[in-house]
Amino acid sequence: MPLLFAPIGTEVKVSRINGAAEVKQHLNEIGFNIGTTITVIQKISTGLIVKVKESRIAIDSSMAAKIMI
């Protein structure tokens, strides 16, 4: 299931990242690694605000759709 559809407040783990190598590398660099726990903080009109490790990150819908949980 894509991260885009995760319920607010639920902790989920990254199982796979889809997309081009550049997209995977970028997401890896900002903390979206396989096995990483993510919490959806808020859904906004353009995407999501998530907690990754100790950081809050805004991610747009197209990127959130590439992160499988």
Side-chain angles (χ1 to χ4, degrees), residues 4-20:
L4 187 59
F5 300 119
I8 295 171
T10 304
E11 283 191 355
V12 295
K13 285 194 178 188
V14 176
S15 64
R16 186 176 77 234
I17 298 176
N18 297 328

Side-chain angles (χ1 to χ4, degrees), residues 17-39:
I17 298 176
N18 297 328
E22 298 84 23
V23 172
K24 291 178 181 181
Q25 180 65 32
H26 174 69
L27 289 171
N28 186 31
E29 288 172 356
I30 60 174
F32 292 92
N33 305 308
I34 294 173
T36 300
T37 301
I38 299 170
T39 304

Side-chain angles (χ1 to χ4, degrees), residues 38-59:
I38 299 170
T39 304
V40 177
I41 304 295
Q42 185 177 2
K43 293 189 178 191
I44 55 177
S45 62
T46 57
L48 304 172
I49 297 175
V50 296
K51 180 179 177 189
V52 180
K53 299 180 182 175
E54 297 302 317
S55 301
R56 288 183 183 210
I57 299 173
I59 186 166

